[in-house]
Amino acid sequence: MPLPIEDYAMISDCQSAAMIGRDGSIDWLCFPRYDSPSMFGALLGDESHGRWLVAPAEPAAIARRSYVDRTVLLVTRWITSTGEVEVTDFMPHGNRRADIVRRVRGVTGTVRMRQDLRIRFAYASATPWVRQVERNGDSRALVATAGPDAVVVRGPRLKAHGPSHQGEFDVAAGETVDVVLTWYPSYREAPDPIDVDDAIRVSSDWWKEWTSDIEHDGPYSDHVVRSLIVLKALTHEDTGGIAAAATTSLPEQFGGERNWDYRYVWLRDASLTLSVLLNHGYQDEAEHWRAWLLRAIAGDPADVQIMYGLAGERDLPERTLTTLPGYRGSSPVRIGNGAVDQYQADVIGEVMVALHEAREKGLDEAKHAWPVQRALMAFMEKHWKRTDSGIWEMRGRERHFTHSRVMVWAAFDRAVKAVEDFGLDGPVDVWRRLRDAIRAEIEEHGFSARRNSYVQYYGSGDVDASLLILPQVGYLQADDPRMLGTVAAIERDLMQDGLVLRYRSETTPDGLPPGEYPFLACSFWLVEQYAASGRGDAASALMDRLVGLANDVGLLSEEYDVGGKRQAGNTPQALSHLALVRAADAIEHGRAMPTR
């Protein structure tokens, strides 16, 4: 059975990622990309679905782990009755290979270590042919092949034991034993061994250099740094696409069917990430993402999707796997995502806001950015009245969601400002007229005078946590009476155990059985709202609570089950971490405001 979600840590080479349990088992790995089929899938089943354990043979060994400085190199110190060892797990950065290194270093005494390797390619549908090979005098290499996939494992000798390959070895104080797994296409020769010392040095130096310019004062600086590292670790280095999470199908409701594949690029999340990167000085990353965006959405604006593959792929059909039973029985396991076919009106607004902010922060004008934006706005001129599925990808009927309508307003607002502030060309009078018409419509149909609050969708009496975004995009000020009324309604209706639900699934027809846990990004949005409206004490109190929900290495998933004291949903979640950074920034900016 897989461990609690919070017991997993991520390592990454900015091409893919692996999830390593506190027990020393890699239970999730997709090579060569984040969204490739898994070769270790125990996270969504059990050890028979693939895993790689490196840990002391002593069952009572105690593990303590942390990342090396400002990197994603993970060090686990194991304490046993016979001594202590450190295991450094990492994926070498920059060599354009698919390697995982597990370096075992003796600290005190002598510790017997054991390995249990179970490779299951193609989401546990393909058991490989495994053989010992000798290359360059090395008789300890193990090669596993199935279809297009192959791996070579170099290190202490492993022997077949039923469905796994196992082995034990001793490590004394001062000794080092390296185990390296390398994926490669099966139709090629196995790559040569890497120089582990050099790989550690290069990878560590690269991460330290990348984080050296991060400046953030205040009590949450460590969490901000770790969150920015997570966002970078989820960014595919070659393409610039930002995966929403490293995993698929971790449940939003344990035992339920709210299980989705998040290993793709949502325009919304990526646009918000651009803002965070710009605010922390990462212009190169922002330019890389902008280039990805312009490639992905190029063509007919009617074909713009809410999400894409890491390289901009459009065909992401959702299907259910029968080879993986799901995290602790939470099924189905899905790959692909049916939301790719939805119309979500807010997405073009998110893109327009992000590209406008890029101009404001001084990014050089991209060659095709404004023509692409002009095309998007021409589409919006014709379709601005259209209903949609909303930010939460409702699988019920389309509606006029208030958040979506505000983002349509934001699209026209940024188009107007592009002309007014930057001298770009466009039918600004048409855009002003439509911007004003949408605002009037929102105020008439999206605000309830009875509740003194904006509502989830036109005609609804319910609220939605996405309404917290209204001040973030400049629709109104955070201390506007209408916004304060909305916050009060959210506090009454959506606060559960002190955290914020996205919406009430019991009363919202989202096409699924009701029930989920508080959504961490929404809770961070409330922190940002508190800070921006002068409620500094409330912002800090909620922020303290939220950062306390991160696991021992600073990672956050999508949701949190307060009653069960456990993380829920896919992990680590880019939206949670970028919302954390925004909330911490807002608290720092709000310290000069009077507290009330």
Side-chain angles (χ1 to χ4, degrees):
M1 185 168 63
L3 301 173
I5 292 170
E6 60 271 18
D7 280 356
Y8 288 94
M10 177 181 70
I11 59 174
S12 170
D13 59 359
C14 297
Q15 304 284 335
S16 185
M19 303 305 298
I20 304 176
R22 194 187 295 269
D23 60 354
S25 179
I26 297 178
D27 285 352
W28 184 254
L29 173 65
C30 303
F31 266 153
R33 296 196 334 181
Y34 305 96
D35 56 351
S36 298
S38 68
M39 57 179 286
F40 298 137
L43 183 64
L44 299 179
D46 57 35
E47 59 191 22
S48 69
H49 299 99
R51 67 100 171 246
W52 184 18
L53 175 76
V54 175
E58 182 180 306
I62 299 172
R64 297 189 178 95
R65 59 186 185 169
S66 63
Y67 286 116
V68 177
D69 300 323
R70 294 180 168 192
T71 75
V72 288
L73 283 71
L74 181 72
V75 174
T76 304
R77 174 167 286 215
W78 291 95
I79 302 171
T80 76
S81 61
T82 61
E84 298 183 16
V85 296
E86 283 187 348
V87 178
T88 300
D89 291 306
F90 72 103
M91 299 167 71
H93 178 270
N95 63 3
R96 291 301 187 271
R97 292 172 40 144
D99 299 304
I100 288 185
V101 177
R102 315 197 74 177
R103 164 164 281 190
V104 186
R105 183 179 69 87
V107 178
T108 64
T110 298
V111 178
R112 169 144 289 206
M113 302 293 290
R114 71 184 183 99
Q115 286 195 76
D116 181 6
L117 177 67
R118 302 170 189 239
I119 300 168
R120 302 292 183 268
F121 291 119
Y123 299 114
S125 69
T127 300
W129 172 44
V130 183
R131 64 195 189 281
Q132 298 282 350
V133 298
E134 182 170 345
R135 285 191 174 92
N136 300 322
D138 183 1
S139 62
R140 297 182 301 169
L142 194 75
V143 172
T145 305
D149 299 297
V151 298
V152 56
V153 181
R154 297 180 172 99
R157 190 174 183 87
L158 297 169
K159 295 183 179 180
H161 287 267
S164 69
H165 281 72
Q166 300 177 14
E168 295 188 352
F169 57 94
D170 292 329
V171 180
E175 292 181 344
T176 297
V177 177
D178 293 326
V179 192
V180 182
L181 178 150
T182 303
W183 175 93
Y184 62 98
S186 61
Y187 48 84
R188 296 179 180 169
E189 290 294 317
D192 291 334
I194 65 171
D195 183 324
V196 174
D197 289 327
D198 184 64
I200 289 177
R201 178 186 57 79
V202 170
S203 299
S204 180
D205 288 351
W206 185 88
W207 279 105
K208 290 176 182 178
E209 173 66 23
W210 189 84
T211 57
S212 63
D213 293 331
I214 299 176
E215 293 183 3
H216 192 281
D217 297 325
Y220 308 109
S221 61
D222 288 345
H223 297 281
V224 168
V225 170
R226 180 51 54 189
S227 291
L228 290 170
I229 291 171
V230 168
L231 295 176
K232 181 62 174 176
L234 290 173
T235 300
H236 192 267
E237 189 167 52
D238 290 341
T239 68
I242 303 170
T247 59
T248 178
S249 299
L250 292 181
E252 297 172 6
Q253 181 187 26
F254 292 103
E257 61 181 78
R258 293 174 181 262
N259 314 314
W260 316 110
D261 193 348
Y262 277 11
R263 298 171 298 156
Y264 308 112
V265 188
W266 270 254
L267 290 188
R268 178 187 305 110
D269 297 16
S271 298
L272 294 170
T273 301
L274 178 137
S275 174
V276 165
L277 292 173
L278 283 172
N279 286 335
H280 289 270
Y282 287 103
Q283 291 209 352
D284 288 346
E285 281 73 14
E287 289 178 355
H288 199 193
W289 174 87
R290 184 177 63 182
W292 177 93
L293 170 70
L294 295 174
R295 292 194 307 270
I297 66 176
D300 188 340
D303 297 331
V304 170
Q305 300 180 174
I306 66 159
M307 56 181 287
Y308 296 85
L310 293 167
E313 297 91 344
R314 293 171 174 266
D315 188 21
L316 306 174
E318 181 175 302
R319 63 188 180 94
T320 297
L321 295 179
T322 59
T323 53
L324 293 170
Y327 178 84
R328 299 193 175 189
S330 296
S331 62
V333 170
R334 295 181 172 96
I335 60 171
N337 198 304
V340 72
D341 297 321
Q342 290 185 348
Y343 175 66
Q344 295 177 19
D346 69 298
V347 167
I348 290 178
E350 303 284 3
V351 170
M352 293 294 292
V353 168
L355 292 178
H356 184 74
E357 186 167 359
R359 290 190 182 95
E360 289 184 318
K361 293 293 173 61
L363 260 67
D364 292 336
E365 186 68 22
K367 184 176 180 180
H368 301 298
W370 184 240
V372 169
Q373 289 181 267
R374 282 286 306 269
L376 293 176
M377 295 315 300
F379 174 82
M380 292 304 295
E381 290 170 32
K382 297 178 181 178
H383 299 280
W384 68 275
K385 294 183 178 181
R386 183 175 169 182
T387 57
D388 77 314
S389 298
I391 183 175
W392 306 127
E393 302 172 355
M394 302 291 188
R395 299 200 171 200
R397 71 180 179 88
E398 293 185 347
R399 302 175 184 272
H400 279 128
F401 289 95
T402 301
H403 167 265
S404 296
R405 305 306 293 156
V406 167
M407 294 311 302
V408 173
W409 171 89
F412 285 104
D413 179 71
R414 295 327 190 262
V416 169
K417 289 179 177 177
V419 175
E420 294 178 342
D421 298 348
F422 295 96
L424 299 172
D425 64 302
V428 68
D429 291 337
V430 172
W431 293 340
R432 285 195 194 102
R433 177 175 55 80
L434 291 175
R435 179 184 64 179
D436 295 345
I438 295 166
R439 176 180 281 277
E441 173 208 281
I442 293 168
E443 294 305 312
E444 180 179 357
H445 301 291
F447 185 82
S448 169
R450 179 182 63 83
R451 296 210 66 185
N452 188 34
S453 170
Y454 291 98
V455 293
Q456 183 179 37
Y457 55 84
Y458 293 178
S460 171
D462 294 329
V463 289
D464 186 306
S466 64
L467 298 169
L468 293 167
I469 293 176
L470 271 57
Q472 296 180 17
V473 298
Y475 181 78
L476 78 175
Q477 296 298 311
D479 59 356
D480 186 291
R482 294 166 297 173
M483 194 63 214
L484 297 180
T486 302
V487 171
I490 288 172
E491 290 171 330
R492 287 193 300 270
D493 294 1
L494 299 183
M495 295 291 279
Q496 178 174 294
D497 300 314
L499 303 178
V500 183
L501 296 165
R502 296 187 297 173
Y503 54 87
R504 283 287 175 185
S505 61
E506 298 84 358
T507 59
T508 298
D510 63 3
L512 294 164
E516 64 173 22
Y517 306 107
F519 200 81
L520 293 177
C522 296
S523 301
F524 284 116
W525 293 345
L526 184 57
V527 171
E528 185 172 349
Q529 165 64 30
Y530 283 158
S533 60
R535 296 176 62 182
D537 289 345
S540 295
L542 182 53
M543 188 71 169
D544 290 342
R545 172 97 182 277
L546 288 167
V547 298
L549 303 181
N551 72 359
D552 59 317
V553 291
L555 303 186
L556 290 166
S557 64
E558 181 182 14
E559 300 183 354
Y560 194 80
D561 172 14
V562 178
K565 297 182 179 180
R566 55 186 177 174
Q567 293 186 4
N570 286 305
T571 191
Q573 183 83 355
L575 187 59
S576 297
H577 282 280
L578 71 88
L580 181 155
V581 176
R582 288 184 60 105
D585 289 345
I587 287 175
E588 290 307 299
H589 294 156
R591 288 188 184 278
M593 298 177 62
T595 301
R596 63 168 181 251

